Amino acid sequence: IGQPEIGVVRGEIDRVGKILQSVRTEKEKKKAAGPIQVNLNRVIEDLVALCRGSLAVNTATEIKLDLAQELPEIVSDADGLKQLLLNLIKNSIEAMPEGGVIRVTTAPWGSGSGPSHAEIAVEDDGPGIPKEILARLYQQVTSTKGGQHQGLGLAIVGQLVRDLRGLINCRSSAQGTRFQVLLPFSGK
Protein backbone atom coordinates (compact mmCIF):
# COMPACT_ATOMS: atom_id res chain seq x y z
CA ILE A 1 0.00 0.00 0.00
CA GLY A 2 1.42 3.34 -1.03
CA GLN A 3 1.27 6.65 0.79
CA PRO A 4 -1.70 7.93 -1.29
CA GLU A 5 -3.77 4.88 -0.32
CA ILE A 6 -2.85 5.24 3.34
CA GLY A 7 -3.92 8.88 3.13
CA VAL A 8 -7.30 7.83 1.73
CA VAL A 9 -7.75 5.24 4.48
CA ARG A 10 -6.86 7.76 7.18
CA GLY A 11 -9.34 10.17 5.64
CA GLU A 12 -11.99 7.46 5.87
CA ILE A 13 -11.16 6.84 9.53
CA ASP A 14 -11.55 10.58 10.16
CA ARG A 15 -14.87 10.52 8.34
CA VAL A 16 -16.14 7.57 10.41
CA GLY A 17 -15.02 9.38 13.56
CA LYS A 18 -17.02 12.45 12.53
CA ILE A 19 -20.06 10.29 11.80
CA LEU A 20 -19.81 8.65 15.22
CA GLN A 21 -19.44 12.09 16.82
CA SER A 22 -22.50 13.43 14.99
CA VAL A 23 -24.49 10.35 16.03
CA ARG A 24 -23.43 10.99 19.62
CA THR A 25 -24.45 14.66 19.36
CA GLU A 26 -27.82 13.73 17.86
CA LYS A 27 -28.32 11.15 20.58
CA GLU A 28 -27.69 13.81 23.23
CA LYS A 29 -30.22 16.12 21.57
CA LYS A 30 -32.85 13.40 21.71
CA LYS A 31 -31.94 12.61 25.35
CA ALA A 32 -31.64 8.91 24.65
CA ALA A 33 -32.50 6.29 27.24
CA GLY A 34 -29.02 6.34 28.76
CA PRO A 35 -26.44 3.72 29.60
CA ILE A 36 -26.91 0.07 28.68
CA GLN A 37 -25.08 -3.19 29.42
CA VAL A 38 -22.01 -3.33 27.15
CA ASN A 39 -19.63 -6.21 26.49
CA LEU A 40 -16.38 -4.22 26.43
CA ASN A 41 -14.27 -7.00 24.91
CA ARG A 42 -16.73 -7.45 22.04
CA VAL A 43 -16.71 -3.69 21.32
CA ILE A 44 -12.89 -3.74 21.21
CA GLU A 45 -12.77 -6.83 18.98
CA ASP A 46 -15.26 -5.26 16.55
CA LEU A 47 -13.37 -1.94 16.36
CA VAL A 48 -10.01 -3.65 15.84
CA ALA A 49 -11.55 -5.80 13.08
CA LEU A 50 -12.91 -2.61 11.48
CA CYS A 51 -9.47 -0.99 11.60
CA ARG A 52 -7.78 -4.08 10.14
CA GLY A 53 -10.49 -4.58 7.52
CA SER A 54 -10.36 -0.99 6.30
CA LEU A 55 -6.59 -1.20 5.81
CA ALA A 56 -6.19 1.67 8.27
CA VAL A 57 -3.31 -0.28 9.74
CA ASN A 58 -0.40 -0.54 7.33
CA THR A 59 1.27 -3.93 6.99
CA ALA A 60 4.11 -2.87 9.29
CA THR A 61 1.65 -2.15 12.13
CA GLU A 62 0.31 -4.94 14.28
CA ILE A 63 -2.59 -4.64 16.72
CA LYS A 64 -2.38 -7.17 19.55
CA LEU A 65 -5.29 -7.88 21.86
CA ASP A 66 -4.99 -9.17 25.42
CA LEU A 67 -8.56 -9.11 26.68
CA ALA A 68 -9.45 -10.42 30.13
CA GLN A 69 -11.51 -13.59 30.03
CA GLU A 70 -14.75 -13.29 32.02
CA LEU A 71 -14.64 -9.49 32.25
CA PRO A 72 -18.05 -8.36 33.57
CA GLU A 73 -20.17 -6.21 31.29
CA ILE A 74 -20.13 -2.50 32.02
CA VAL A 75 -23.07 -0.13 32.10
CA SER A 76 -22.12 2.56 29.62
CA ASP A 77 -23.03 4.58 26.55
CA ALA A 78 -22.03 2.21 23.74
CA ASP A 79 -21.61 4.97 21.13
CA GLY A 80 -19.45 7.10 23.42
CA LEU A 81 -17.34 4.06 24.28
CA LYS A 82 -16.82 3.24 20.59
CA GLN A 83 -15.80 6.83 19.82
CA LEU A 84 -13.37 6.86 22.76
CA LEU A 85 -11.69 3.63 21.68
CA LEU A 86 -11.64 4.57 18.01
CA ASN A 87 -9.90 7.87 18.82
CA LEU A 88 -7.25 6.16 20.99
CA ILE A 89 -6.52 3.45 18.41
CA LYS A 90 -6.48 6.01 15.58
CA ASN A 91 -4.00 8.18 17.51
CA SER A 92 -1.71 5.17 17.98
CA ILE A 93 -1.89 4.32 14.27
CA GLU A 94 -1.08 7.90 13.31
CA ALA A 95 1.79 8.08 15.81
CA MET A 96 3.58 5.28 13.92
CA PRO A 97 3.46 6.04 10.18
CA GLU A 98 6.33 3.57 9.60
CA GLY A 99 4.56 0.85 11.59
CA GLY A 100 4.88 -0.64 15.03
CA VAL A 101 2.87 -2.51 17.64
CA ILE A 102 -0.36 -1.39 19.28
CA ARG A 103 -1.52 -3.35 22.32
CA VAL A 104 -5.11 -3.15 23.54
CA THR A 105 -5.79 -4.82 26.88
CA THR A 106 -8.66 -5.12 29.32
CA ALA A 107 -8.68 -6.21 32.95
CA PRO A 108 -10.84 -5.89 36.03
CA TRP A 109 -9.53 -3.13 38.30
CA GLY A 110 -10.22 -2.34 41.92
CA SER A 111 -9.20 -2.51 45.54
CA GLY A 112 -9.39 -5.19 48.23
CA SER A 113 -13.20 -5.20 48.13
CA GLY A 114 -13.11 -6.50 44.57
CA PRO A 115 -13.01 -4.98 41.11
CA SER A 116 -15.15 -1.91 40.61
CA HIS A 117 -13.92 -0.80 37.19
CA ALA A 118 -12.92 -2.18 33.83
CA GLU A 119 -9.42 -1.14 32.82
CA ILE A 120 -8.72 -0.53 29.14
CA ALA A 121 -5.17 0.17 28.02
CA VAL A 122 -4.13 1.28 24.54
CA GLU A 123 -0.37 1.25 24.20
CA ASP A 124 1.93 1.82 21.24
CA ASP A 125 5.68 1.77 20.67
CA GLY A 126 5.70 5.05 18.75
CA PRO A 127 7.91 8.07 19.43
CA GLY A 128 5.83 9.39 22.35
CA ILE A 129 3.93 12.62 22.85
CA PRO A 130 5.98 15.85 23.00
CA LYS A 131 6.14 17.35 26.51
CA GLU A 132 4.46 20.61 25.44
CA ILE A 133 1.42 18.66 24.19
CA LEU A 134 1.45 16.25 27.15
CA ALA A 135 1.03 19.23 29.51
CA ARG A 136 -2.38 20.07 27.98
CA LEU A 137 -3.28 16.67 26.62
CA TYR A 138 -7.08 16.81 26.76
CA GLN A 139 -7.48 20.40 25.54
CA GLN A 140 -8.11 21.44 21.97
CA VAL A 141 -4.74 22.25 20.41
CA THR A 142 -3.38 23.17 17.01
CA SER A 143 -2.54 19.83 15.45
CA THR A 144 1.05 19.10 14.48
CA LYS A 145 -0.14 16.43 12.04
CA GLY A 146 -1.21 18.81 9.27
CA GLY A 147 -3.86 18.04 6.68
CA GLN A 148 -7.40 17.72 7.99
CA HIS A 149 -6.33 17.19 11.60
CA GLN A 150 -7.93 19.74 13.90
CA GLY A 151 -6.25 18.84 17.19
CA LEU A 152 -9.55 17.65 18.67
CA GLY A 153 -8.89 13.92 19.05
CA LEU A 154 -7.65 13.84 22.65
CA ALA A 155 -9.92 16.72 23.69
CA ILE A 156 -12.83 14.53 22.58
CA VAL A 157 -11.30 11.55 24.41
CA GLY A 158 -11.09 13.56 27.64
CA GLN A 159 -14.71 14.68 27.35
CA LEU A 160 -15.92 11.17 26.50
CA VAL A 161 -14.14 9.72 29.55
CA ARG A 162 -15.82 12.36 31.75
CA ASP A 163 -19.20 11.63 30.13
CA LEU A 164 -18.72 7.90 30.84
CA ARG A 165 -17.83 8.70 34.49
CA GLY A 166 -14.39 7.24 34.00
CA LEU A 167 -10.80 8.17 34.63
CA ILE A 168 -7.93 8.43 32.16
CA ASN A 169 -4.19 8.36 32.62
CA CYS A 170 -1.40 8.75 30.08
CA ARG A 171 2.26 7.81 30.27
CA SER A 172 4.48 8.70 27.35
CA SER A 173 8.19 8.51 26.57
CA ALA A 174 10.42 8.04 23.55
CA GLN A 175 9.61 4.31 23.79
CA GLY A 176 5.87 4.77 23.36
CA THR A 177 2.60 5.96 24.83
CA ARG A 178 0.11 4.18 27.09
CA PHE A 179 -3.41 5.40 27.77
CA GLN A 180 -5.20 3.76 30.69
CA VAL A 181 -8.96 4.25 30.96
CA LEU A 182 -10.97 3.09 33.97
CA LEU A 183 -14.72 2.76 33.52
CA PRO A 184 -17.06 1.76 36.36
CA PHE A 185 -18.87 -1.53 35.96
CA SER A 186 -22.08 0.03 37.27
CA GLY A 187 -22.02 3.26 35.25
CA LYS A 188 -21.99 5.27 38.51
PDB file of all heavy atoms in Angstrom, residues 126-140:
ATOM      1  N   GLY A 126       5.345   3.893  19.571  1.00  0.00           N
ATOM      2  CA  GLY A 126       5.703   5.051  18.746  1.00  0.00           C
ATOM      3  C   GLY A 126       6.677   5.975  19.461  1.00  0.00           C
ATOM      4  O   GLY A 126       7.192   5.650  20.536  1.00  0.00           O
ATOM      5  N   PRO A 127       6.892   7.156  18.907  1.00  0.00           N
ATOM      6  CA  PRO A 127       7.906   8.074  19.431  1.00  0.00           C
ATOM      7  C   PRO A 127       7.497   8.842  20.682  1.00  0.00           C
ATOM      8  O   PRO A 127       8.298   9.589  21.239  1.00  0.00           O
ATOM      9  CB  PRO A 127       8.118   9.041  18.268  1.00  0.00           C
ATOM     10  CG  PRO A 127       6.799   9.058  17.565  1.00  0.00           C
ATOM     11  CD  PRO A 127       6.271   7.646  17.681  1.00  0.00           C
ATOM     12  N   GLY A 128       6.284   8.674  21.152  1.00  0.00           N
ATOM     13  CA  GLY A 128       5.828   9.394  22.348  1.00  0.00           C
ATOM     14  C   GLY A 128       5.206  10.730  22.007  1.00  0.00           C
ATOM     15  O   GLY A 128       5.261  11.202  20.871  1.00  0.00           O
ATOM     16  N   ILE A 129       4.606  11.333  23.001  1.00  0.00           N
ATOM     17  CA  ILE A 129       3.933  12.621  22.850  1.00  0.00           C
ATOM     18  C   ILE A 129       4.881  13.710  23.333  1.00  0.00           C
ATOM     19  O   ILE A 129       5.414  13.603  24.442  1.00  0.00           O
ATOM     20  CB  ILE A 129       2.619  12.648  23.654  1.00  0.00           C
ATOM     21  CG1 ILE A 129       1.660  11.554  23.150  1.00  0.00           C
ATOM     22  CG2 ILE A 129       1.959  14.019  23.589  1.00  0.00           C
ATOM     23  CD1 ILE A 129       0.432  11.359  24.014  1.00  0.00           C
ATOM     24  N   PRO A 130       5.093  14.758  22.551  1.00  0.00           N
ATOM     25  CA  PRO A 130       5.979  15.847  22.995  1.00  0.00           C
ATOM     26  C   PRO A 130       5.502  16.445  24.323  1.00  0.00           C
ATOM     27  O   PRO A 130       4.296  16.550  24.569  1.00  0.00           O
ATOM     28  CB  PRO A 130       5.878  16.880  21.863  1.00  0.00           C
ATOM     29  CG  PRO A 130       5.424  16.101  20.675  1.00  0.00           C
ATOM     30  CD  PRO A 130       4.561  14.992  21.211  1.00  0.00           C
ATOM     31  N   LYS A 131       6.457  16.846  25.173  1.00  0.00           N
ATOM     32  CA  LYS A 131       6.139  17.353  26.512  1.00  0.00           C
ATOM     33  C   LYS A 131       5.192  18.543  26.478  1.00  0.00           C
ATOM     34  O   LYS A 131       4.313  18.663  27.326  1.00  0.00           O
ATOM     35  CB  LYS A 131       7.426  17.726  27.255  1.00  0.00           C
ATOM     36  CG  LYS A 131       8.204  16.534  27.704  1.00  0.00           C
ATOM     37  CD  LYS A 131       9.431  16.936  28.484  1.00  0.00           C
ATOM     38  CE  LYS A 131      10.207  15.680  28.877  1.00  0.00           C
ATOM     39  NZ  LYS A 131      11.407  15.996  29.634  1.00  0.00           N
ATOM     40  N   GLU A 132       5.332  19.428  25.488  1.00  0.00           N
ATOM     41  CA  GLU A 132       4.465  20.608  25.438  1.00  0.00           C
ATOM     42  C   GLU A 132       3.015  20.227  25.152  1.00  0.00           C
ATOM     43  O   GLU A 132       2.089  20.914  25.576  1.00  0.00           O
ATOM     44  CB  GLU A 132       4.980  21.642  24.430  1.00  0.00           C
ATOM     45  CG  GLU A 132       5.041  21.180  22.985  1.00  0.00           C
ATOM     46  CD  GLU A 132       6.347  20.453  22.614  1.00  0.00           C
ATOM     47  OE1 GLU A 132       7.176  20.197  23.490  1.00  0.00           O
ATOM     48  OE2 GLU A 132       6.499  20.140  21.424  1.00  0.00           O
ATOM     49  N   ILE A 133       2.789  19.129  24.450  1.00  0.00           N
ATOM     50  CA  ILE A 133       1.421  18.659  24.195  1.00  0.00           C
ATOM     51  C   ILE A 133       0.926  17.854  25.390  1.00  0.00           C
ATOM     52  O   ILE A 133      -0.230  17.959  25.792  1.00  0.00           O
ATOM     53  CB  ILE A 133       1.360  17.838  22.892  1.00  0.00           C
ATOM     54  CG1 ILE A 133       1.633  18.761  21.694  1.00  0.00           C
ATOM     55  CG2 ILE A 133       0.011  17.142  22.746  1.00  0.00           C
ATOM     56  CD1 ILE A 133       1.708  18.070  20.368  1.00  0.00           C
ATOM     57  N   LEU A 134       1.817  17.069  26.000  1.00  0.00           N
ATOM     58  CA  LEU A 134       1.455  16.251  27.152  1.00  0.00           C
ATOM     59  C   LEU A 134       0.921  17.112  28.295  1.00  0.00           C
ATOM     60  O   LEU A 134       0.012  16.705  29.017  1.00  0.00           O
ATOM     61  CB  LEU A 134       2.690  15.465  27.605  1.00  0.00           C
ATOM     62  CG  LEU A 134       2.490  14.165  28.360  1.00  0.00           C
ATOM     63  CD1 LEU A 134       1.542  13.234  27.628  1.00  0.00           C
ATOM     64  CD2 LEU A 134       3.820  13.492  28.609  1.00  0.00           C
ATOM     65  N   ALA A 135       1.451  18.333  28.432  1.00  0.00           N
ATOM     66  CA  ALA A 135       1.030  19.233  29.513  1.00  0.00           C
ATOM     67  C   ALA A 135      -0.427  19.655  29.392  1.00  0.00           C
ATOM     68  O   ALA A 135      -1.060  19.982  30.382  1.00  0.00           O
ATOM     69  CB  ALA A 135       1.935  20.471  29.534  1.00  0.00           C
ATOM     70  N   ARG A 136      -0.977  19.675  28.188  1.00  0.00           N
ATOM     71  CA  ARG A 136      -2.379  20.071  27.979  1.00  0.00           C
ATOM     72  C   ARG A 136      -3.083  19.052  27.080  1.00  0.00           C
ATOM     73  O   ARG A 136      -3.792  19.393  26.135  1.00  0.00           O
ATOM     74  CB  ARG A 136      -2.459  21.482  27.408  1.00  0.00           C
ATOM     75  CG  ARG A 136      -1.681  21.722  26.154  1.00  0.00           C
ATOM     76  CD  ARG A 136      -1.701  23.206  25.766  1.00  0.00           C
ATOM     77  NE  ARG A 136      -1.396  23.389  24.374  1.00  0.00           N
ATOM     78  CZ  ARG A 136      -0.196  23.287  23.837  1.00  0.00           C
ATOM     79  NH1 ARG A 136       0.840  23.005  24.578  1.00  0.00           N
ATOM     80  NH2 ARG A 136      -0.011  23.470  22.546  1.00  0.00           N
ATOM     81  N   LEU A 137      -2.904  17.809  27.444  1.00  0.00           N
ATOM     82  CA  LEU A 137      -3.281  16.671  26.618  1.00  0.00           C
ATOM     83  C   LEU A 137      -4.741  16.642  26.188  1.00  0.00           C
ATOM     84  O   LEU A 137      -5.045  16.318  25.054  1.00  0.00           O
ATOM     85  CB  LEU A 137      -2.936  15.386  27.371  1.00  0.00           C
ATOM     86  CG  LEU A 137      -2.868  14.112  26.553  1.00  0.00           C
ATOM     87  CD1 LEU A 137      -1.881  14.249  25.408  1.00  0.00           C
ATOM     88  CD2 LEU A 137      -2.476  12.956  27.437  1.00  0.00           C
ATOM     89  N   TYR A 138      -5.662  16.970  27.076  1.00  0.00           N
ATOM     90  CA  TYR A 138      -7.083  16.813  26.758  1.00  0.00           C
ATOM     91  C   TYR A 138      -7.755  18.131  26.392  1.00  0.00           C
ATOM     92  O   TYR A 138      -8.977  18.241  26.428  1.00  0.00           O
ATOM     93  CB  TYR A 138      -7.803  16.125  27.922  1.00  0.00           C
ATOM     94  CG  TYR A 138      -7.127  14.817  28.270  1.00  0.00           C
ATOM     95  CD1 TYR A 138      -6.406  14.680  29.444  1.00  0.00           C
ATOM     96  CD2 TYR A 138      -7.164  13.741  27.391  1.00  0.00           C
ATOM     97  CE1 TYR A 138      -5.763  13.483  29.752  1.00  0.00           C
ATOM     98  CE2 TYR A 138      -6.521  12.558  27.681  1.00  0.00           C
ATOM     99  CZ  TYR A 138      -5.822  12.439  28.858  1.00  0.00           C
ATOM    100  OH  TYR A 138      -5.176  11.265  29.155  1.00  0.00           O
ATOM    101  N   GLN A 139      -6.956  19.121  26.003  1.00  0.00           N
ATOM    102  CA  GLN A 139      -7.481  20.399  25.544  1.00  0.00           C
ATOM    103  C   GLN A 139      -7.343  20.463  24.027  1.00  0.00           C
ATOM    104  O   GLN A 139      -6.459  19.846  23.451  1.00  0.00           O
ATOM    105  CB  GLN A 139      -6.692  21.556  26.162  1.00  0.00           C
ATOM    106  CG  GLN A 139      -6.730  21.585  27.670  1.00  0.00           C
ATOM    107  CD  GLN A 139      -5.753  22.603  28.228  1.00  0.00           C
ATOM    108  OE1 GLN A 139      -5.233  23.440  27.520  1.00  0.00           O
ATOM    109  NE2 GLN A 139      -5.499  22.517  29.526  1.00  0.00           N
ATOM    110  N   GLN A 140      -8.216  21.254  23.404  1.00  0.00           N
ATOM    111  CA  GLN A 140      -8.105  21.442  21.968  1.00  0.00           C
ATOM    112  C   GLN A 140      -6.798  22.181  21.688  1.00  0.00           C
ATOM    113  O   GLN A 140      -6.482  23.178  22.328  1.00  0.00           O
ATOM    114  CB  GLN A 140      -9.276  22.258  21.427  1.00  0.00           C
ATOM    115  CG  GLN A 140      -9.212  22.430  19.918  1.00  0.00           C
ATOM    116  CD  GLN A 140     -10.433  23.170  19.384  1.00  0.00           C
ATOM    117  OE1 GLN A 140     -11.402  23.373  20.077  1.00  0.00           O
ATOM    118  NE2 GLN A 140     -10.353  23.564  18.142  1.00  0.00           N
TER     119      GLN A 140
END
